[in-house]
């Protein structure tokens, strides 16, 4: 699916969010990455096989 050089990480990689954005919809709160992952603004993910990854924002110390 990816034609970038170097090739973007696959949807199964731990660094899958480093893939290029193919379609951004900030008004709706999501972006489609070139590896087929849908990245939501709350950092949740929808993987191409239908699995979901819960939001995983880093908490900020006060």
């Amino acid at each position: 699916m990816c034609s970038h050089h170097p090739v973007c990480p696959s949807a199964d990689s731990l660094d899958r969010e480093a893939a290029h954005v193919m379609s951004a919809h900030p008004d709706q709160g999501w972006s489609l990455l070139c590896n087929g992952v849908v990245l939501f603004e709350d950092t949740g993910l929808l993987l191409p096989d239908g699995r979901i990854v819960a939001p995983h924002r880093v908490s900020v110390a006060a």
Side-chain angles (χ1 to χ4, degrees):
M1 185 178 218
C2 178
S3 61
H4 298 106
H5 295 284
V7 176
C8 292
S10 72
D12 294 326
S13 300
L14 291 178
D15 59 346
R16 59 185 152 238
E17 294 172 55
H20 287 264
V21 173
M22 299 302 292
S23 181
H25 298 276
D27 54 320
Q28 297 176 359
W30 63 274
S31 296
L32 175 64
L33 306 181
C34 72
N35 56 7
V37 171
V38 177
L39 172 65
F40 294 97
E41 68 181 15
D42 68 354
T43 70
L45 303 170
L46 177 60
L47 303 181
D49 63 3
R51 290 181 291 153
I52 44 177
V53 177
H56 50 278
R57 288 188 178 171
V58 177
S59 59
V60 178

